[in-house]
Amino acid sequence: MNGRQHGAGRWTPWLYLAPALLVLGGLLLYPIYQLGLISFLEYTQAQVSGGEPTSFRGLANYRELFADGQFRQVLAVTVVFAAACVAATLAVGCALAVLLTKVRALPRLALMLAALGAWATPAVTGSTVWLFLFDPDLGPVDKALTWAGLTGFDGYAWTYDRYSAFALVLLEIVWCSFPFVMVTVYAGIRAIPGEVLEAAALDGASHWRIWRDVMAPMLRPILTVVTIQSVIWDFKVFTQIYVMTNGGGIAGQNLTLNVYAYQKAFASSQYSLGSAIGVVMLLILLAVTVGYLRLLRRQGEEI
């Protein structure tokens, strides 16, 4: 009897989770199935309108995609840009999380409210505000830099040059993403026993060494979560690039995979190629996530 009760109890949590899992399965698995199915078909505007029958192409869409030099270039740019966004977001978020533990209650509250305000701002609104701040005619940033003696920024168009446009988008992404890292890491720091940090300080360790040798190892499970979440968010960024570079920049110089997929699917009506790009993005994110988790498990970390 005890064995039967133990077996039944093992399935009890899954019974409670079943309704939510069914809903999530319908919302996630079915769209992924449709995305994968369309990527194997000949599916353009002619098929959508019923003018031509839908035909099965197998891997032909993927072969066409990887033979496209622009796709390979956009893929490389997306990887580098996402890595830069993740690194900057983690650096800013972790630094401010540590700062929160050093300041008094009122400055801490003000910083938290300001950060949460940035986090709650819709991506379209935040992108529009940053475009105004760096506007070559009316933006206060160019005026302030010119006033400081940097005359080269007088009327400088940040979105015209490829690298300055990517830098501007990166700043906006970090601005709206760091609060998640800051709040999560701050909660983890508060859970570290105070005597551990006090002992490290008494031993003469600097703030950097305390973070590197004490805090970071103890916060590794939390840092894993925020890193994976940041990778997913930044790799599939769309709104900021589309709004701030007007659809991918001059001659597509600021394209990322999500914007490129949008152009293929909706601007060119090549829905099968757009779906293939989506599948490639999904597989890359799954590979990065699984690989990172396996690496941590080899190091003996519990996730």
Side-chain angles (χ1 to χ4, degrees), residues 13 23 45 71 73 86 95 110 124 143-144 149 159 169 180 184 186-187 191 204 209 215 254 283 285 301:
V23 173
Q45 188 60 43
F71 168 76
Q73 179 185 8
V86 171
V124 173
K143 295 183 183 299
T159 58
V169 176
F180 170 74
T184 306
Y186 173 71
R209 290 202 61 186
M215 290 185 179
N254 295 112
L283 293 177
L285 289 174
E301 295 292 334

PDB file of all heavy atoms in Angstrom, residues 13 23 45 71 73 86 95 110 124 143-144 149 159 169 180 184 186-187 191 204 209 215 254 283 285 301:
ATOM      1  N   PRO A  13       2.039  16.034  -8.684  1.00  0.00           N
ATOM      2  CA  PRO A  13       2.412  17.350  -9.235  1.00  0.00           C
ATOM      3  C   PRO A  13       2.114  17.492 -10.717  1.00  0.00           C
ATOM      4  O   PRO A  13       1.701  18.562 -11.176  1.00  0.00           O
ATOM      5  CB  PRO A  13       3.923  17.427  -8.962  1.00  0.00           C
ATOM      6  CG  PRO A  13       4.165  16.473  -7.841  1.00  0.00           C
ATOM      7  CD  PRO A  13       3.190  15.369  -8.043  1.00  0.00           C
ATOM      8  N   VAL A  23      -2.221  23.988 -22.158  1.00  0.00           N
ATOM      9  CA  VAL A  23      -2.333  25.325 -22.757  1.00  0.00           C
ATOM     10  C   VAL A  23      -1.015  25.726 -23.411  1.00  0.00           C
ATOM     11  O   VAL A  23      -0.981  26.221 -24.550  1.00  0.00           O
ATOM     12  CB  VAL A  23      -2.749  26.357 -21.686  1.00  0.00           C
ATOM     13  CG1 VAL A  23      -2.695  27.768 -22.256  1.00  0.00           C
ATOM     14  CG2 VAL A  23      -4.155  26.055 -21.174  1.00  0.00           C
ATOM     15  N   GLN A  45       3.170  33.859 -52.213  1.00  0.00           N
ATOM     16  CA  GLN A  45       1.880  34.519 -52.349  1.00  0.00           C
ATOM     17  C   GLN A  45       0.967  33.762 -53.307  1.00  0.00           C
ATOM     18  O   GLN A  45      -0.251  33.763 -53.143  1.00  0.00           O
ATOM     19  CB  GLN A  45       2.081  35.959 -52.840  1.00  0.00           C
ATOM     20  CG  GLN A  45       0.819  36.807 -52.834  1.00  0.00           C
ATOM     21  CD  GLN A  45       0.210  36.933 -51.444  1.00  0.00           C
ATOM     22  OE1 GLN A  45       0.925  37.128 -50.468  1.00  0.00           O
ATOM     23  NE2 GLN A  45      -1.104  36.801 -51.353  1.00  0.00           N
ATOM     24  N   PHE A  71      22.326  35.876 -46.251  1.00  0.00           N
ATOM     25  CA  PHE A  71      21.883  35.171 -45.046  1.00  0.00           C
ATOM     26  C   PHE A  71      23.062  34.825 -44.151  1.00  0.00           C
ATOM     27  O   PHE A  71      23.005  35.013 -42.936  1.00  0.00           O
ATOM     28  CB  PHE A  71      21.127  33.896 -45.427  1.00  0.00           C
ATOM     29  CG  PHE A  71      20.886  32.977 -44.265  1.00  0.00           C
ATOM     30  CD1 PHE A  71      19.904  33.255 -43.332  1.00  0.00           C
ATOM     31  CD2 PHE A  71      21.670  31.837 -44.085  1.00  0.00           C
ATOM     32  CE1 PHE A  71      19.694  32.412 -42.236  1.00  0.00           C
ATOM     33  CE2 PHE A  71      21.462  30.998 -43.002  1.00  0.00           C
ATOM     34  CZ  PHE A  71      20.482  31.293 -42.082  1.00  0.00           C
ATOM     35  N   GLN A  73      25.893  36.334 -43.962  1.00  0.00           N
ATOM     36  CA  GLN A  73      26.403  37.569 -43.373  1.00  0.00           C
ATOM     37  C   GLN A  73      25.510  38.041 -42.239  1.00  0.00           C
ATOM     38  O   GLN A  73      26.001  38.428 -41.165  1.00  0.00           O
ATOM     39  CB  GLN A  73      26.507  38.651 -44.438  1.00  0.00           C
ATOM     40  CG  GLN A  73      27.020  39.991 -43.908  1.00  0.00           C
ATOM     41  CD  GLN A  73      27.002  41.079 -44.970  1.00  0.00           C
ATOM     42  OE1 GLN A  73      26.468  40.875 -46.052  1.00  0.00           O
ATOM     43  NE2 GLN A  73      27.569  42.229 -44.645  1.00  0.00           N
ATOM     44  N   VAL A  86      24.322  40.846 -24.828  1.00  0.00           N
ATOM     45  CA  VAL A  86      24.274  40.018 -23.621  1.00  0.00           C
ATOM     46  C   VAL A  86      25.376  40.417 -22.655  1.00  0.00           C
ATOM     47  O   VAL A  86      25.142  40.578 -21.444  1.00  0.00           O
ATOM     48  CB  VAL A  86      24.365  38.523 -23.991  1.00  0.00           C
ATOM     49  CG1 VAL A  86      24.538  37.669 -22.736  1.00  0.00           C
ATOM     50  CG2 VAL A  86      23.130  38.077 -24.751  1.00  0.00           C
ATOM     51  N   ALA A  95      26.639  45.084 -12.114  1.00  0.00           N
ATOM     52  CA  ALA A  95      27.271  46.219 -11.438  1.00  0.00           C
ATOM     53  C   ALA A  95      26.252  47.011 -10.627  1.00  0.00           C
ATOM     54  O   ALA A  95      26.514  47.398  -9.478  1.00  0.00           O
ATOM     55  CB  ALA A  95      27.956  47.120 -12.470  1.00  0.00           C
ATOM     56  N   ALA A 110      14.984  54.800  -5.416  1.00  0.00           N
ATOM     57  CA  ALA A 110      14.944  55.623  -6.629  1.00  0.00           C
ATOM     58  C   ALA A 110      15.525  54.863  -7.820  1.00  0.00           C
ATOM     59  O   ALA A 110      14.969  54.891  -8.933  1.00  0.00           O
ATOM     60  CB  ALA A 110      15.704  56.924  -6.396  1.00  0.00           C
ATOM     61  N   VAL A 124       8.606  49.661 -28.650  1.00  0.00           N
ATOM     62  CA  VAL A 124       8.398  50.688 -29.673  1.00  0.00           C
ATOM     63  C   VAL A 124       8.556  52.075 -29.059  1.00  0.00           C
ATOM     64  O   VAL A 124       9.208  52.961 -29.636  1.00  0.00           O
ATOM     65  CB  VAL A 124       7.006  50.532 -30.308  1.00  0.00           C
ATOM     66  CG1 VAL A 124       6.722  51.694 -31.254  1.00  0.00           C
ATOM     67  CG2 VAL A 124       6.902  49.208 -31.049  1.00  0.00           C
ATOM     68  N   LYS A 143      23.647  67.839 -29.189  1.00  0.00           N
ATOM     69  CA  LYS A 143      23.864  69.204 -28.703  1.00  0.00           C
ATOM     70  C   LYS A 143      24.802  69.215 -27.500  1.00  0.00           C
ATOM     71  O   LYS A 143      25.691  70.076 -27.386  1.00  0.00           O
ATOM     72  CB  LYS A 143      22.525  69.849 -28.348  1.00  0.00           C
ATOM     73  CG  LYS A 143      21.590  70.048 -29.546  1.00  0.00           C
ATOM     74  CD  LYS A 143      20.322  70.751 -29.130  1.00  0.00           C
ATOM     75  CE  LYS A 143      19.356  70.877 -30.320  1.00  0.00           C
ATOM     76  NZ  LYS A 143      19.939  71.676 -31.423  1.00  0.00           N
ATOM     77  N   ALA A 144      24.632  68.242 -26.600  1.00  0.00           N
ATOM     78  CA  ALA A 144      25.491  68.179 -25.415  1.00  0.00           C
ATOM     79  C   ALA A 144      26.928  67.833 -25.802  1.00  0.00           C
ATOM     80  O   ALA A 144      27.882  68.417 -25.264  1.00  0.00           O
ATOM     81  CB  ALA A 144      24.942  67.142 -24.439  1.00  0.00           C
ATOM     82  N   GLY A 149      32.562  70.327 -26.718  1.00  0.00           N
ATOM     83  CA  GLY A 149      33.744  70.521 -27.546  1.00  0.00           C
ATOM     84  C   GLY A 149      33.947  69.485 -28.626  1.00  0.00           C
ATOM     85  O   GLY A 149      34.884  69.596 -29.422  1.00  0.00           O
ATOM     86  N   THR A 159      22.051  56.935 -37.024  1.00  0.00           N
ATOM     87  CA  THR A 159      21.494  55.770 -37.718  1.00  0.00           C
ATOM     88  C   THR A 159      21.978  55.666 -39.161  1.00  0.00           C
ATOM     89  O   THR A 159      21.618  54.714 -39.853  1.00  0.00           O
ATOM     90  CB  THR A 159      19.959  55.822 -37.693  1.00  0.00           C
ATOM     91  OG1 THR A 159      19.512  57.049 -38.303  1.00  0.00           O
ATOM     92  CG2 THR A 159      19.433  55.748 -36.272  1.00  0.00           C
ATOM     93  N   VAL A 169      21.358  51.027 -31.113  1.00  0.00           N
ATOM     94  CA  VAL A 169      20.385  49.972 -30.792  1.00  0.00           C
ATOM     95  C   VAL A 169      20.850  49.182 -29.579  1.00  0.00           C
ATOM     96  O   VAL A 169      20.044  48.818 -28.704  1.00  0.00           O
ATOM     97  CB  VAL A 169      20.180  49.051 -32.005  1.00  0.00           C
ATOM     98  CG1 VAL A 169      19.243  47.898 -31.646  1.00  0.00           C
ATOM     99  CG2 VAL A 169      19.609  49.831 -33.188  1.00  0.00           C
ATOM    100  N   PHE A 180      16.016  43.538 -15.484  1.00  0.00           N
ATOM    101  CA  PHE A 180      15.760  42.130 -15.165  1.00  0.00           C
ATOM    102  C   PHE A 180      16.977  41.494 -14.511  1.00  0.00           C
ATOM    103  O   PHE A 180      16.868  40.785 -13.497  1.00  0.00           O
ATOM    104  CB  PHE A 180      15.374  41.373 -16.438  1.00  0.00           C
ATOM    105  CG  PHE A 180      15.313  39.888 -16.277  1.00  0.00           C
ATOM    106  CD1 PHE A 180      14.272  39.292 -15.594  1.00  0.00           C
ATOM    107  CD2 PHE A 180      16.312  39.077 -16.806  1.00  0.00           C
ATOM    108  CE1 PHE A 180      14.214  37.910 -15.427  1.00  0.00           C
ATOM    109  CE2 PHE A 180      16.266  37.709 -16.646  1.00  0.00           C
ATOM    110  CZ  PHE A 180      15.219  37.123 -15.959  1.00  0.00           C
ATOM    111  N   THR A 184      17.156  40.496 -10.420  1.00  0.00           N
ATOM    112  CA  THR A 184      17.366  39.072 -10.142  1.00  0.00           C
ATOM    113  C   THR A 184      18.672  38.843  -9.380  1.00  0.00           C
ATOM    114  O   THR A 184      18.711  38.101  -8.388  1.00  0.00           O
ATOM    115  CB  THR A 184      17.380  38.284 -11.460  1.00  0.00           C
ATOM    116  OG1 THR A 184      16.195  38.564 -12.203  1.00  0.00           O
ATOM    117  CG2 THR A 184      17.453  36.796 -11.182  1.00  0.00           C
ATOM    118  N   TYR A 186      20.352  41.085  -7.653  1.00  0.00           N
ATOM    119  CA  TYR A 186      20.254  41.730  -6.334  1.00  0.00           C
ATOM    120  C   TYR A 186      19.549  40.818  -5.329  1.00  0.00           C
ATOM    121  O   TYR A 186      19.983  40.700  -4.173  1.00  0.00           O
ATOM    122  CB  TYR A 186      19.508  43.053  -6.459  1.00  0.00           C
ATOM    123  CG  TYR A 186      19.207  43.720  -5.132  1.00  0.00           C
ATOM    124  CD1 TYR A 186      20.224  44.284  -4.374  1.00  0.00           C
ATOM    125  CD2 TYR A 186      17.904  43.781  -4.645  1.00  0.00           C
ATOM    126  CE1 TYR A 186      19.953  44.886  -3.160  1.00  0.00           C
ATOM    127  CE2 TYR A 186      17.631  44.385  -3.435  1.00  0.00           C
ATOM    128  CZ  TYR A 186      18.650  44.935  -2.699  1.00  0.00           C
ATOM    129  OH  TYR A 186      18.380  45.524  -1.487  1.00  0.00           O
ATOM    130  N   ALA A 187      18.481  40.153  -5.765  1.00  0.00           N
ATOM    131  CA  ALA A 187      17.792  39.210  -4.878  1.00  0.00           C
ATOM    132  C   ALA A 187      18.717  38.070  -4.472  1.00  0.00           C
ATOM    133  O   ALA A 187      18.706  37.618  -3.315  1.00  0.00           O
ATOM    134  CB  ALA A 187      16.538  38.670  -5.563  1.00  0.00           C
ATOM    135  N   ALA A 191      20.484  37.041  -0.599  1.00  0.00           N
ATOM    136  CA  ALA A 191      20.368  35.711   0.009  1.00  0.00           C
ATOM    137  C   ALA A 191      21.711  35.154   0.462  1.00  0.00           C
ATOM    138  O   ALA A 191      21.749  34.151   1.175  1.00  0.00           O
ATOM    139  CB  ALA A 191      19.715  34.747  -0.983  1.00  0.00           C
ATOM    140  N   GLY A 204      40.687  41.834   3.376  1.00  0.00           N
ATOM    141  CA  GLY A 204      41.293  42.841   2.506  1.00  0.00           C
ATOM    142  C   GLY A 204      40.971  42.692   1.033  1.00  0.00           C
ATOM    143  O   GLY A 204      41.612  43.329   0.193  1.00  0.00           O
ATOM    144  N   ARG A 209      37.315  41.552  -6.354  1.00  0.00           N
ATOM    145  CA  ARG A 209      37.654  40.191  -5.934  1.00  0.00           C
ATOM    146  C   ARG A 209      36.516  39.555  -5.157  1.00  0.00           C
ATOM    147  O   ARG A 209      36.286  38.349  -5.259  1.00  0.00           O
ATOM    148  CB  ARG A 209      38.930  40.197  -5.097  1.00  0.00           C
ATOM    149  CG  ARG A 209      40.196  40.508  -5.890  1.00  0.00           C
ATOM    150  CD  ARG A 209      41.416  39.993  -5.170  1.00  0.00           C
ATOM    151  NE  ARG A 209      41.366  38.539  -5.003  1.00  0.00           N
ATOM    152  CZ  ARG A 209      42.260  37.843  -4.301  1.00  0.00           C
ATOM    153  NH1 ARG A 209      43.268  38.478  -3.701  1.00  0.00           N
ATOM    154  NH2 ARG A 209      42.168  36.544  -4.194  1.00  0.00           N
ATOM    155  N   MET A 215      30.919  36.222  -4.650  1.00  0.00           N
ATOM    156  CA  MET A 215      29.532  36.388  -5.113  1.00  0.00           C
ATOM    157  C   MET A 215      29.224  35.572  -6.363  1.00  0.00           C
ATOM    158  O   MET A 215      28.235  34.819  -6.404  1.00  0.00           O
ATOM    159  CB  MET A 215      29.236  37.863  -5.375  1.00  0.00           C
ATOM    160  CG  MET A 215      29.153  38.730  -4.138  1.00  0.00           C
ATOM    161  SD  MET A 215      28.652  40.414  -4.590  1.00  0.00           S
ATOM    162  CE  MET A 215      28.616  41.177  -2.960  1.00  0.00           C
ATOM    163  N   ASN A 254      21.997  46.996 -41.371  1.00  0.00           N
ATOM    164  CA  ASN A 254      21.753  46.707 -39.956  1.00  0.00           C
ATOM    165  C   ASN A 254      20.759  45.575 -39.762  1.00  0.00           C
ATOM    166  O   ASN A 254      20.048  45.523 -38.757  1.00  0.00           O
ATOM    167  CB  ASN A 254      21.259  47.954 -39.233  1.00  0.00           C
ATOM    168  CG  ASN A 254      22.289  49.057 -39.184  1.00  0.00           C
ATOM    169  OD1 ASN A 254      22.143  50.101 -39.802  1.00  0.00           O
ATOM    170  ND2 ASN A 254      23.371  48.820 -38.461  1.00  0.00           N
ATOM    171  N   LEU A 283      16.745  26.415 -33.693  1.00  0.00           N
ATOM    172  CA  LEU A 283      17.751  25.381 -33.469  1.00  0.00           C
ATOM    173  C   LEU A 283      19.018  25.969 -32.850  1.00  0.00           C
ATOM    174  O   LEU A 283      19.648  25.344 -31.987  1.00  0.00           O
ATOM    175  CB  LEU A 283      18.078  24.682 -34.789  1.00  0.00           C
ATOM    176  CG  LEU A 283      16.946  23.857 -35.401  1.00  0.00           C
ATOM    177  CD1 LEU A 283      17.372  23.271 -36.741  1.00  0.00           C
ATOM    178  CD2 LEU A 283      16.495  22.747 -34.448  1.00  0.00           C
ATOM    179  N   LEU A 285      19.227  28.642 -30.879  1.00  0.00           N
ATOM    180  CA  LEU A 285      18.952  28.958 -29.479  1.00  0.00           C
ATOM    181  C   LEU A 285      18.876  27.692 -28.627  1.00  0.00           C
ATOM    182  O   LEU A 285      19.366  27.673 -27.489  1.00  0.00           O
ATOM    183  CB  LEU A 285      17.650  29.750 -29.372  1.00  0.00           C
ATOM    184  CG  LEU A 285      17.710  31.190 -29.891  1.00  0.00           C
ATOM    185  CD1 LEU A 285      16.333  31.828 -29.859  1.00  0.00           C
ATOM    186  CD2 LEU A 285      18.684  32.017 -29.067  1.00  0.00           C
ATOM    187  N   GLU A 301      27.470  21.963 -11.312  1.00  0.00           N
ATOM    188  CA  GLU A 301      26.494  22.933 -10.859  1.00  0.00           C
ATOM    189  C   GLU A 301      25.103  22.340 -10.907  1.00  0.00           C
ATOM    190  O   GLU A 301      24.722  21.620 -11.827  1.00  0.00           O
ATOM    191  CB  GLU A 301      26.537  24.187 -11.748  1.00  0.00           C
ATOM    192  CG  GLU A 301      27.847  24.950 -11.653  1.00  0.00           C
ATOM    193  CD  GLU A 301      28.023  25.587 -10.280  1.00  0.00           C
ATOM    194  OE1 GLU A 301      27.023  25.857  -9.618  1.00  0.00           O
ATOM    195  OE2 GLU A 301      29.178  25.808  -9.897  1.00  0.00           O
TER     196      GLU A 301
END
